Every structure is written in C-alpha cells, then in structure tokens.
Amino acid sequence: LKSGSSNKMHQESYLAPWLIKRGDYDIALLQNSSGLEPLWPTGYYSTDPDIDPMSQNTRMAKLIHQYNPKCQIYQEQTWASPRNGDDYVESKWLVERGYADNSNNRMKVLDELIEIYYVELLKREPSIIVSRVGRAFPNSRNAGMSDLFHTDHHHPNNNGGYLKACTNCVTITGKPLQNAPTFDGISAEN
C-alpha cells in the first residue's frame, strides 16, 4: 500500500478496503504515518478525531475485524528520528519544555512520547499486539548502532529497515531469531 500514509488515508483509498474485504487474513501488520504518534500525547489531535491517530487505529482495527474476525492485528510501533520534532507543533511543544535545543534530549523525549501513545493504544485496543520497533531503535542507539536512518534523517536506511524486519519477525513468530540471514552485510545479532 502507499507509503507515507496514515491509517485514515488507507481507509479512504480504494485499495486498502478492497484488500481487507477480500478477507481470510490470519495476520495484519499496520504502520501508521510515523510522524503522527509522537504528537498524540501533546494533545494536538484532541480537537479533531478525524485526524487523531488513535481514532484511526481503532477504526482500522474494526474494519479489519469486520471482514476478518480471526485476524491478529500487529501495529508496528513508530520510532523517534532526528527529524521528528521539526514539525511546528511538535517543535513548539518540545521548546516549551526545554528539549528542542539538544538532539539527544529531544530523541529521548520523542521516545517517551511514542511509548505513551502505545501504552494508551493497548488500553483502548487490547486485541492489537504492538511490534516494539520504537523500543528497538533507542536500544540499538544505546548499544552504539547509530547508523539507522536514511539521509533524510527520518526513514530507516538498510540497518534500520533490517532492525524493523527483525523486530516484526520476533513479534509475529514469538520466537528469537536463529540463523537469520545477513542483509547488506548486517547480521541479526548486530
């Protein structure tokens, strides 16, 4: 499906609802537009449920379960990136709290905002299983793997993409990675 889209955009498109209505899916792996979740705890969306990512996730889950009642929904947790916080509202919120002046502090705060969002999502939609990509990124950064982003400083590069894939694989299978292939010189152990 189209990248850079919110769950709302997918719901309003032709393709996503058509695929969902075909039915008989065991698994659905969702990723909302990665810039939306860090803003949610700031209250930015509270006045407009139509663009609220929490409402979008709830509506998407209901649509999937309407046509695929046995489908297990996995929501890929978004990640903090150096470019998150460039948005005016996000920047204003971070500056007001004294975090926008230091990128390391800003990344930590964004990690916390993302975690707040997903804790609330699980309260509202307990049937969803969250793939903790948003935790894997700071864990990898803290372990010294800082090269996770493309040159746009937001989208994952090959390292970040492989990290996402490994995290999703472990979440969906419930098993640790064993003998995972090397991708572009990157091993799952790294």
Side-chain angles (χ1 to χ4, degrees):
L1 300 174
K2 182 180 176 287
S3 65
S5 297
S6 66
N7 280 331
K8 177 181 184 276
M9 293 166 75
H10 286 306
Q11 290 167 44
E12 292 174 350
S13 73
Y14 170 78
L15 185 57
W18 180 78
L19 287 170
I20 291 167
K21 289 174 184 176
R22 288 183 60 204
D24 203 29
Y25 293 105
D26 296 321
I27 294 172
L29 177 62
L30 307 176
Q31 182 210 353
N32 213 341
S33 180
S34 56
L36 297 176
E37 283 106 4
L39 271 176
W40 184 82
T42 69
Y44 177 65
Y45 297 112
S46 61
T47 59
D48 189 350
D50 200 37
I51 61 169
D52 172 33
M54 191 73 67
S55 299
Q56 291 178 19
N57 281 353
T58 299
R59 286 193 303 268
M60 183 65 94
K62 286 181 181 171
L63 179 64
I64 290 169
H65 281 142
Q66 178 182 352
Y67 294 95
N68 303 274
K70 295 179 183 174
C71 183
Q72 177 58 63
I73 299 173
Y74 295 87
Q75 174 73 42
E76 184 180 275
Q77 183 182 33
T78 197
W79 55 93
S81 72
R83 201 180 83 195
N84 281 126
D86 288 348
D87 174 272
Y88 171 74
V89 176
E90 229 172 311
S91 293
K92 184 173 184 259
W93 193 88
L94 290 166
V95 168
E96 286 172 355
R97 285 154 181 81
Y99 294 112
D101 60 335
N102 178 309
S103 63
N104 286 334
N105 281 342
R106 185 167 83 173
M107 293 286 278
K108 288 177 186 172
V109 170
L110 290 167
D111 289 334
E112 290 172 19
L113 291 173
I114 290 166
E115 190 62 25
I116 290 167
Y117 175 85
Y118 283 94
V119 166
E120 184 62 28
L121 175 65
L122 290 173
K123 286 180 190 173
R124 293 184 188 196
E125 288 295 327
S127 66
I128 291 177
I129 296 174
V130 175
S131 178
R132 296 293 189 170
V133 172
R135 284 188 184 166
F137 270 66
N139 289 346
S140 295
R141 285 194 315 264
N142 293 338
M145 185 180 210
S146 59
D147 182 24
L148 298 171
F149 299 102
H150 192 268
T151 56
D152 68 359
H153 302 291
H154 180 65
H155 293 96
N157 62 14
N158 286 347
N159 292 337
Y162 192 62
L163 176 61
K164 284 176 43 158
C166 289
T167 304
N168 288 332
C169 184
V170 168
T171 301
I172 291 169
T173 65
K175 298 176 183 173
L177 290 176
Q178 294 180 346
N179 304 319
T182 301
F183 173 75
D184 199 27
I186 307 162
S187 69
E189 291 78 31
N190 293 338

